[in-house]
Amino acid sequence: MTELVQTLVLSLLVGGIYALVASGLTLIFGVMRVINIAHGAFMILGAFITYTLWNQLGLDPLLGVLITTPVVFGLGWVTYRLLVRPIRHAPMSSTVLLTFGLALVVEGAMGEIWGNDSTSIRPSYVDRAFHVGNVFLPEAQVYGGVLAVLVLLALWLILTKTWLGRAIRAAAANPSSAELVGIKVTSVAALVFGLGLAAAGAGGAITGVLYPFVPGSHYLWIARLLAIVVLGGLGSLEGAVLSALVFGIAETVTAVYISPAWATAVPYAIVFFVLLIRPQGLLGTRLRDDAVTA
């Protein structure tokens, strides 16, 4: 029973981190109908920026989120204005190709700046753990999971309690009507792209403490994130959070009770079987073919 409780708690902590990064990806799709293949690359960029802050300045990597997040937000805003906005009305395949090319460029830039060797962020608490009775909880995962929840909560508050959030929800629901009531959808879209990548940057800062990474690590992450977003339902923030928790539980439970070799395969099998029954995902809705992009 103790092992089961420990496994489930660790699963939820990992799932919370997945939810943070996936929320940014599904937010971008929900407003702009853009599948951002570069999302994982910006996540790893956030990890490298955090590594530099920790290695050169001695800044705690989790506190470094306060710097990493706005930096990646700014990069996202500029990226949208310069690259995504000119083709926002093009077929979805065009933005997929564009963001895939962008991912390669970001990967190359990271390789030039930081090299291609495996990098790890190891603050003092990375080898410590909390003991609650017989339950063993690594401090880094606890801190990272709690921070991910706090950032997710901040994103939720922005989306539900601010004028920007109302504008984002209006632009996602009906861009044409949003324009009629004075919302400049293209400006909102730039902010959304920045917010989405900011979530990826924050997630990169956290995962950089938990896992080693190289510039090419973004391939593994974008595959995982796309699976989470599709399972939850494209454009559904609640669905992304739910499916991220499912993904985290499936990975951890499989690694502990079956075999680490199957920890990657089982979550994707769950995605496959869910989509056979519910093609739009757990909380998604079927998209209209005539949906207008921002």
Side-chain angles (χ1 to χ4, degrees), residues 277-292:
I277 301 170
R278 190 174 170 80
Q280 67 269 39
L282 295 173
L283 299 180
T285 56
R286 293 182 181 275
L287 295 176
R288 289 167 39 196
D289 293 334
D290 62 341
V292 181

Side-chain angles (χ1 to χ4, degrees), residues 35 216 234:
I35 299 176
L234 285 167

Side-chain angles (χ1 to χ4, degrees), residues 150-264:
L150 291 176
V151 177
L152 264 176
L153 179 60
L155 181 60
W156 178 81
L157 290 173
I158 290 173
L159 293 176
T160 59
K161 304 298 182 180
T162 66
W163 181 90
L164 174 60
R166 290 191 292 271
I168 289 172
R169 286 181 281 121
N174 194 318
S176 299
S177 297
E179 291 276 6
L180 290 175
V181 297
I183 296 173
K184 194 172 181 181
V185 174
T186 53
S187 296
V188 170
L191 293 173
V192 166
F193 203 83
L195 280 174
L197 291 189
I206 298 169
T207 56
V209 177
L210 303 180
Y211 310 104
F213 53 93
V214 296
S217 297
H218 70 94
Y219 294 111
L220 299 175
W221 280 102
I222 192 60
R224 178 183 282 117
L225 294 173
L226 285 173
I228 289 171
V229 169
V230 170
L231 175 62
L234 285 167
S236 171
L237 189 60
E238 297 83 358
V241 173
L242 175 61
S243 61
L245 296 177
V246 170
F247 224 82
I249 291 172
E251 280 188 346
T252 308
V253 170
T254 301
V256 172
Y257 290 101
I258 301 178
S259 167
W262 286 94
T264 301

Side-chain angles (χ1 to χ4, degrees), residues 227 230-231 247 265-279:
V230 170
L231 175 62
F247 224 82
V266 169
Y268 289 99
I270 292 174
V271 174
F272 176 76
F273 286 115
V274 169
L275 294 182
L276 283 178
I277 301 170
R278 190 174 170 80

